């Protein structure tokens, strides 16, 4: 098992200064999967001192040196994919097949794009006799969630390393083992001491200390909007940069007249993937009123056919949600949907048939959902889809935008028809006809879904500061 009882600081595994131990629960069995040390502000201080010291030298490394380092990390990461997959399946319940491919594979995808961005990025631009240079912002705090653990770690660590920053990572306390494995990967790849530091812990103890720390130059946070607001408030007194990727309630507009057998499976798959625990999942399906009932029947059949089971078993099924606390919240929202008058098409409260333990949720579909209903407004973060009828294109756009979130949106149907929606929808990404995430495209949200962008060169730029050099210099001076 990876080491989750110590922190990785300044190139060494070290004991916590005053931390306490808690259990990490396997959501499929309700049993203890690991023990975790919850760090303290003193641990954060030690990590920041190491990162600040390392920044003096690492920030001055050449592009070629950082390319070589990232290439070594890729090699070491590939060796540990099976370990990463087992940790994800055990701690957050993602089926082992998906954990091995999409979950662990997303980390490799981000490493590859960080490499591409670093190789091709112009860090210096001449404007007349002057020059604009882009330099690493400094010491950065990276706070990541449990739902896509390696995806979010590498979406931050890869470009931060490419930019020349040093860092402190605080992963989710609900899925900490991936981060410990990743620290071992970086150690094996020869990352210099202090460049990467791992402090395990929770938001109250470690996250707050990171956001408030005067010697941290930037916080990059992925998580709930509620937690993101607290990070921003804690960071405000030190006027540090805060980049955030937060919650979502993405609409999926099925254009009027679109063949449903063609349009529905992609939207269904996007909700069921990862047991619905994806911030960009298309959880609000908007269907023209003339096709709503047919869509409800077809979507209900697809959800009802989805198997739910043991994440350690290979196969095309979904696992549990991450925790009993999350299960309780989802059950409450499903019951609220019933109480507020939405039509329950399939699923509902309780565990799926045959499962007497674990945080398993019945794949659930509601129809005839109106914008004022709780399940149309709140991010459920489970395998729950709501179908909402609309009158015409203008009504669809109004409903799509009727949310405090703006992370993603989906449009299915004739591309010429879909085009008119792209500029009207307030979201950071619009996926047309089941287009998926691309690691070289910017990812981030409008409104309360956050600020800043990740992935590829856009993620690299988040970790760079802009400097004007005014006055003629020799051409070889950057």
């Amino acid at each position: 098992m990876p080491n989750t009882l110590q922190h990785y600081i300044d190139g060494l595994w070290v004991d916590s200064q005053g931390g306490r131990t808690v259990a990490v629960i396997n959501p499929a069995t309700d049993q203890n999967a690991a023990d975790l040390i919850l760090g303290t502000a003193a641990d954060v201080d030690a990590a920041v001192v190491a990162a600040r010291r390392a920044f003096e030298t690492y920030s001055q490394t050449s592009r070629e040196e950082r390319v070589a380092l990232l290439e070594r990390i890729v090699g070491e990461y590939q060796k540990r994919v099976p370990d990463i997959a087992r940790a994800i399946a055990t701690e957050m319940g993602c089926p082992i097949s998906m954990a091995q491919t999409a979950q662990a594979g997303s980390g490799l995808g981000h490493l590859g794009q960080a490499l591409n961005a670093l190789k091709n990025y112009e860090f210096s631009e001449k404007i007349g006799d002057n020059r604009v240079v882009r330099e690493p912002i400094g010491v950065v705090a990276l706070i990541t969630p449990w739902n896509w653990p390696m995806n979010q770690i590498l979406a931050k660590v890869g470009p931060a390393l490419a930019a020349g920053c040093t860092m402190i990572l605080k992963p989710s306390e609900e899925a900490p083992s991936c981060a410990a494995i990743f620290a071992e990967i970086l150690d094996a790849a020869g990352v210099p001491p202090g460049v990467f530091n791992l402090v395990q812990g929770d938001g109250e103890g470690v996250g707050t200390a990171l956001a408030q720390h005067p010697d941290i130059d930037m916080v990059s946070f992925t998580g709930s909007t509620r937690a993101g607001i607290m990070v921003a408030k804690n960071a405000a007194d030190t006027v540090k940069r805060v980049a955030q990727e937060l919650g979502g309630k993405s609409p999926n507009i099925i254009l009027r007249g679109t063949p449903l057998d063609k349009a529905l499976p992609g939207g269904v798959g996007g909700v069921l993937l990862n047991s619905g625990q994806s911030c960009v999942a298309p959880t609000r399906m908007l269907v023209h009123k003339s096709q709503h009932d047919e869509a409800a029947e077809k979507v209900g059949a697809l959800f009802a056919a989805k198997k739910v089971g043991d994440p350690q078993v290979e196969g095309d099924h979904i696992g549990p949600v991450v925790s009993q606390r999350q299960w309780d919240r989802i059950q409450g929202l499903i019951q609220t949907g019933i109480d507020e008058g939405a039509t329950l098409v399939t699923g509902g409260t309780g565990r799926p048939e045959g499962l007497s333990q674990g945080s398993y949720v019945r794949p659930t579909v509601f129809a005839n959902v109106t914008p004022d209903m709780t399940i149309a407004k709140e991010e459920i973060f489970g395998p729950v889809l709501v179908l909402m009828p609309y009158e015409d294109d203008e009504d669809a756009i109004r409903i799509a935008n009727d949310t405090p979130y703006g992370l993603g949106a989906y449009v299915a149907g004739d591309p010429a028809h879909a085009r008119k929606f792209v500029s009207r929808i307030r979201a950071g990404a619009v996926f047309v006809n089941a287009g998926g995430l691309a690691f070289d495209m910017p990812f981030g949200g409008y409104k309360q879904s956050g600020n800043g962008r990740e992935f590829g060169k856009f993620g690299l730029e988040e970790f760079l500061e802009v400097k004007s050099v005014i006055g003629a210099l020799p051409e070889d001076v950057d």
Side-chain angles (χ1 to χ4, degrees):
M1 290 294 293
N3 183 359
T4 53
L5 288 174
Q6 290 182 302
H7 309 304
Y8 182 78
I9 297 174
D10 209 12
L12 298 171
W13 290 98
V14 300
D15 292 333
S16 174
Q17 301 179 53
R20 63 185 178 90
T21 303
V22 297
V24 179
I25 302 301
N26 182 332
T29 65
D30 297 330
Q31 302 300 309
N32 189 357
D35 291 319
L36 172 71
I37 191 70
L38 295 182
T40 64
D43 297 324
V44 170
D45 287 340
V48 172
V49 168
R52 179 60 61 191
R53 183 190 311 118
F55 182 74
E56 295 302 315
T57 51
Y58 186 70
S59 63
Q60 300 304 306
T61 54
S62 67
R63 182 198 307 263
E64 291 72 24
E65 289 173 307
R66 298 201 292 273
V67 164
L69 178 61
L70 285 168
E71 288 175 340
R72 294 198 302 272
I73 293 170
V74 169
E76 294 297 331
Y77 186 102
Q78 290 171 327
K79 298 175 187 177
R80 301 298 301 273
V81 165
D83 299 329
I84 292 167
R86 281 192 295 271
I88 293 172
T90 300
E91 290 184 346
M92 58 83 54
C94 177
I96 190 72
S97 301
M98 180 186 164
Q100 180 103 11
T101 53
Q103 288 270 11
S106 65
L108 279 175
H110 287 302
L111 278 172
Q113 286 302 322
L115 265 168
N116 288 340
L118 177 57
K119 290 176 181 178
N120 298 307
Y121 194 77
E122 295 295 335
F123 289 90
S124 177
E125 175 188 1
K126 191 173 182 182
I127 301 178
D129 290 334
N130 305 314
R131 189 172 293 276
V132 174
V133 295
R134 289 170 172 82
E135 301 174 338
I137 193 169
V139 176
V140 299
L142 312 175
I143 303 175
T144 58
W146 48 261
N147 60 323
W148 286 86
M150 293 311 294
N151 179 79
Q152 292 306 138
I153 288 173
L154 269 301
K156 299 181 190 299
V157 174
L161 287 173
C165 294
T166 58
M167 65 210 69
I168 302 99
L169 170 67
K170 190 211 86 66
S172 168
E173 65 272 27
E174 293 184 288
S177 291
C178 280
I181 294 170
F182 188 60
E184 295 171 356
I185 289 170
L186 297 190
D187 190 79
V191 173
V195 170
F196 171 86
N197 304 275
L198 167 65
V199 179
Q200 300 278 15
D202 58 15
E204 182 179 359
V206 175
T208 298
L210 287 168
Q212 292 178 344
H213 206 290
D215 289 328
I216 287 178
D217 301 292
M218 173 184 173
V219 179
S220 178
F221 172 84
T222 298
S224 70
T225 297
R226 176 193 57 79
I229 291 169
M230 293 307 300
V231 167
K233 287 181 177 179
N234 285 322
D237 287 342
T238 50
V239 200
K240 56 172 61 73
R241 183 183 300 177
V242 179
Q244 298 176 318
E245 192 263 283
L246 307 175
K249 191 71 175 177
S250 300
N252 180 13
I253 303 172
I254 311 299
L255 299 178
R256 182 178 185 178
T258 300
L260 295 181
D261 288 337
K262 182 178 180 180
L264 298 181
V268 168
V271 176
L272 291 175
L273 181 73
N274 210 36
S275 298
Q277 299 171 120
S278 298
C279 51
V280 76
T283 52
R284 290 186 297 148
M285 182 175 283
L286 280 57
V287 184
H288 189 265
K289 62 181 183 180
S290 65
Q291 294 177 287
H292 173 271
D293 291 348
E294 180 187 359
E297 180 182 354
K298 291 179 180 295
V299 169
L302 291 170
F303 265 64
K306 191 65 178 182
K307 295 180 179 179
V308 183
D310 187 348
Q312 301 294 342
V313 175
E314 301 248 359
D316 182 22
H317 59 281
I318 63 173
V321 296
V322 70
S323 66
Q324 178 69 40
R325 182 180 63 179
Q326 184 67 8
W327 189 88
D328 289 341
R329 181 178 180 277
I330 294 168
Q331 298 304 304
L333 285 166
I334 292 173
Q335 185 61 53
T336 297
I338 296 169
D339 294 344
E340 291 184 354
T343 302
L344 181 64
V345 178
T346 190
T349 57
R351 293 186 181 90
E353 185 177 352
L355 294 169
S356 60
Q357 65 178 11
S359 300
Y360 293 97
V361 175
R362 299 172 68 188
T364 297
V365 176
F366 284 101
N368 295 303
V369 175
T370 57
D372 61 307
M373 291 182 179
T374 302
I375 56 173
K377 296 187 290 186
E378 291 199 21
E379 185 178 32
I380 299 173
F381 231 58
V384 181
L385 175 66
V386 302
L387 269 76
M388 307 178 71
Y390 66 85
E391 296 282 341
D392 53 27
D393 285 359
E394 288 300 314
D395 191 39
I397 292 169
R398 180 188 60 79
I399 295 171
N401 288 330
D402 185 20
T403 171
Y405 299 111
L407 188 59
Y410 300 72
V411 184
D414 176 61
H417 188 183
R419 185 175 182 178
K420 68 178 287 188
F421 287 78
V422 172
S423 64
R424 301 280 306 279
I425 295 174
R426 301 285 293 168
V430 180
F431 303 90
V432 179
N433 288 328
L437 284 177
F439 293 142
D440 59 348
M441 292 290 288
F443 184 71
Y446 287 21
K447 300 187 283 187
Q448 291 186 30
S449 287
N451 54 75
R453 293 295 181 267
E454 295 186 310
F455 297 12
K457 74 171 186 178
F458 306 93
L460 174 64
E461 289 176 336
E462 287 294 325
F463 295 100
L464 296 174
E465 194 60 277
V466 178
K467 176 183 287 182
S468 295
V469 180
I470 300 172
L473 288 173
E475 287 297 320
D476 61 346
V477 176
D478 290 334

